mmCIF file of all heavy atoms in Angstrom:
data_model
loop_
_atom_site.group_PDB
_atom_site.id
_atom_site.type_symbol
_atom_site.label_atom_id
_atom_site.label_comp_id
_atom_site.label_asym_id
_atom_site.label_seq_id
_atom_site.Cartn_x
_atom_site.Cartn_y
_atom_site.Cartn_z
ATOM 1 N N GLN A 80 60.044 142.857 31.905
ATOM 2 C CA GLN A 80 61.374 142.449 32.345
ATOM 3 C C GLN A 80 62.247 142.085 31.166
ATOM 4 O O GLN A 80 63.410 142.472 31.090
ATOM 5 C CB GLN A 80 61.276 141.283 33.332
ATOM 6 C CG GLN A 80 62.586 140.950 33.998
ATOM 7 C CD GLN A 80 63.049 142.052 34.938
ATOM 8 O OE1 GLN A 80 62.266 142.715 35.573
ATOM 9 N NE2 GLN A 80 64.347 142.237 35.019
ATOM 10 N N ALA A 81 61.699 141.332 30.213
ATOM 11 C CA ALA A 81 62.439 140.955 29.008
ATOM 12 C C ALA A 81 62.822 142.195 28.194
ATOM 13 O O ALA A 81 63.953 142.303 27.694
ATOM 14 C CB ALA A 81 61.628 139.991 28.168
ATOM 15 N N PHE A 82 61.889 143.130 28.091
ATOM 16 C CA PHE A 82 62.177 144.368 27.363
ATOM 17 C C PHE A 82 63.318 145.144 28.026
ATOM 18 O O PHE A 82 64.238 145.602 27.383
ATOM 19 C CB PHE A 82 60.921 145.242 27.270
ATOM 20 C CG PHE A 82 61.175 146.628 26.763
ATOM 21 C CD1 PHE A 82 61.429 146.845 25.423
ATOM 22 C CD2 PHE A 82 61.194 147.712 27.626
ATOM 23 C CE1 PHE A 82 61.688 148.120 24.948
ATOM 24 C CE2 PHE A 82 61.451 148.975 27.178
ATOM 25 C CZ PHE A 82 61.698 149.192 25.829
ATOM 26 N N LEU A 83 63.231 145.311 29.340
ATOM 27 C CA LEU A 83 64.245 146.070 30.066
ATOM 28 C C LEU A 83 65.612 145.403 30.028
ATOM 29 O O LEU A 83 66.632 146.087 29.949
ATOM 30 C CB LEU A 83 63.820 146.282 31.524
ATOM 31 C CG LEU A 83 62.680 147.276 31.729
ATOM 32 C CD1 LEU A 83 62.278 147.314 33.190
ATOM 33 C CD2 LEU A 83 63.070 148.657 31.251
ATOM 34 N N ASN A 84 65.651 144.084 30.074
ATOM 35 C CA ASN A 84 66.922 143.381 30.017
ATOM 36 C C ASN A 84 67.640 143.584 28.699
ATOM 37 O O ASN A 84 68.855 143.497 28.627
ATOM 38 C CB ASN A 84 66.728 141.885 30.269
ATOM 39 C CG ASN A 84 66.448 141.592 31.739
ATOM 40 O OD1 ASN A 84 66.778 142.372 32.603
ATOM 41 N ND2 ASN A 84 65.815 140.463 31.994
ATOM 42 N N ASN A 85 66.883 143.868 27.656
ATOM 43 C CA ASN A 85 67.468 144.085 26.318
ATOM 44 C C ASN A 85 67.539 145.544 25.962
ATOM 45 O O ASN A 85 67.825 145.897 24.819
ATOM 46 C CB ASN A 85 66.664 143.327 25.270
ATOM 47 C CG ASN A 85 66.730 141.838 25.479
ATOM 48 O OD1 ASN A 85 67.787 141.292 25.795
ATOM 49 N ND2 ASN A 85 65.609 141.165 25.339
ATOM 50 N N SER A 86 67.300 146.429 26.913
ATOM 51 C CA SER A 86 67.238 147.854 26.651
ATOM 52 C C SER A 86 68.271 148.609 27.467
ATOM 53 O O SER A 86 68.687 148.178 28.528
ATOM 54 C CB SER A 86 65.826 148.348 27.000
ATOM 55 O OG SER A 86 65.777 149.744 26.986
ATOM 56 N N ARG A 87 68.670 149.778 26.958
ATOM 57 C CA ARG A 87 69.565 150.639 27.720
ATOM 58 C C ARG A 87 68.847 151.317 28.875
ATOM 59 O O ARG A 87 69.468 151.874 29.762
ATOM 60 C CB ARG A 87 70.153 151.704 26.820
ATOM 61 C CG ARG A 87 71.142 151.161 25.827
ATOM 62 C CD ARG A 87 71.774 152.208 24.964
ATOM 63 N NE ARG A 87 71.363 153.552 25.298
ATOM 64 C CZ ARG A 87 71.787 154.623 24.662
ATOM 65 N NH1 ARG A 87 72.624 154.507 23.669
ATOM 66 N NH2 ARG A 87 71.379 155.826 25.006
ATOM 67 N N LEU A 88 67.533 151.300 28.883
ATOM 68 C CA LEU A 88 66.754 151.901 29.957
ATOM 69 C C LEU A 88 66.984 151.207 31.288
ATOM 70 O O LEU A 88 66.787 151.796 32.343
ATOM 71 C CB LEU A 88 65.256 151.862 29.628
ATOM 72 C CG LEU A 88 64.780 152.749 28.512
ATOM 73 C CD1 LEU A 88 63.314 152.490 28.216
ATOM 74 C CD2 LEU A 88 64.987 154.211 28.862
ATOM 75 N N LYS A 89 67.405 149.959 31.231
ATOM 76 C CA LYS A 89 67.601 149.180 32.458
ATOM 77 C C LYS A 89 68.526 149.902 33.438
ATOM 78 O O LYS A 89 68.226 150.000 34.620
ATOM 79 C CB LYS A 89 68.163 147.809 32.101
ATOM 80 C CG LYS A 89 68.426 146.926 33.304
ATOM 81 C CD LYS A 89 68.981 145.592 32.873
ATOM 82 C CE LYS A 89 69.259 144.712 34.073
ATOM 83 N NZ LYS A 89 69.744 143.397 33.696
ATOM 84 N N TYR A 90 69.642 150.435 32.953
ATOM 85 C CA TYR A 90 70.608 151.098 33.828
ATOM 86 C C TYR A 90 70.050 152.396 34.386
ATOM 87 O O TYR A 90 70.296 152.738 35.539
ATOM 88 C CB TYR A 90 71.924 151.328 33.103
ATOM 89 C CG TYR A 90 72.575 150.032 32.709
ATOM 90 C CD1 TYR A 90 72.557 149.595 31.395
ATOM 91 C CD2 TYR A 90 73.164 149.220 33.655
ATOM 92 C CE1 TYR A 90 73.131 148.385 31.047
ATOM 93 C CE2 TYR A 90 73.727 148.017 33.323
ATOM 94 C CZ TYR A 90 73.716 147.603 32.007
ATOM 95 O OH TYR A 90 74.273 146.410 31.680
ATOM 96 N N ASP A 91 69.284 153.138 33.588
ATOM 97 C CA ASP A 91 68.684 154.375 34.064
ATOM 98 C C ASP A 91 67.665 154.084 35.157
ATOM 99 O O ASP A 91 67.600 154.800 36.165
ATOM 100 C CB ASP A 91 68.017 155.129 32.924
ATOM 101 C CG ASP A 91 69.022 155.631 31.894
ATOM 102 O OD1 ASP A 91 70.195 155.834 32.269
ATOM 103 O OD2 ASP A 91 68.637 155.802 30.720
ATOM 104 N N ILE A 92 66.882 153.052 34.967
ATOM 105 C CA ILE A 92 65.870 152.676 35.971
ATOM 106 C C ILE A 92 66.552 152.208 37.258
ATOM 107 O O ILE A 92 66.136 152.557 38.364
ATOM 108 C CB ILE A 92 64.916 151.624 35.399
ATOM 109 C CG1 ILE A 92 64.039 152.272 34.330
ATOM 110 C CG2 ILE A 92 64.065 151.005 36.503
ATOM 111 C CD1 ILE A 92 63.189 151.309 33.546
ATOM 112 N N GLN A 93 67.621 151.430 37.123
ATOM 113 C CA GLN A 93 68.346 150.966 38.316
ATOM 114 C C GLN A 93 68.953 152.132 39.065
ATOM 115 O O GLN A 93 68.973 152.145 40.298
ATOM 116 C CB GLN A 93 69.405 149.931 37.931
ATOM 117 C CG GLN A 93 68.807 148.618 37.504
ATOM 118 C CD GLN A 93 69.830 147.672 36.912
ATOM 119 O OE1 GLN A 93 70.836 148.094 36.362
ATOM 120 N NE2 GLN A 93 69.547 146.385 37.018
ATOM 121 N N ALA A 94 69.470 153.118 38.353
ATOM 122 C CA ALA A 94 70.028 154.310 39.004
ATOM 123 C C ALA A 94 68.943 155.062 39.776
ATOM 124 O O ALA A 94 69.182 155.526 40.898
ATOM 125 C CB ALA A 94 70.671 155.230 37.961
#
Side-chain angles (χ1 to χ4, degrees):
Q80 189 68 34
F82 170 75
L83 288 175
N84 286 338
N85 296 319
S86 169
R87 290 182 2 180
L88 290 174
K89 179 180 180 178
Y90 297 105
D91 294 334
I92 291 172
Q93 289 171 333

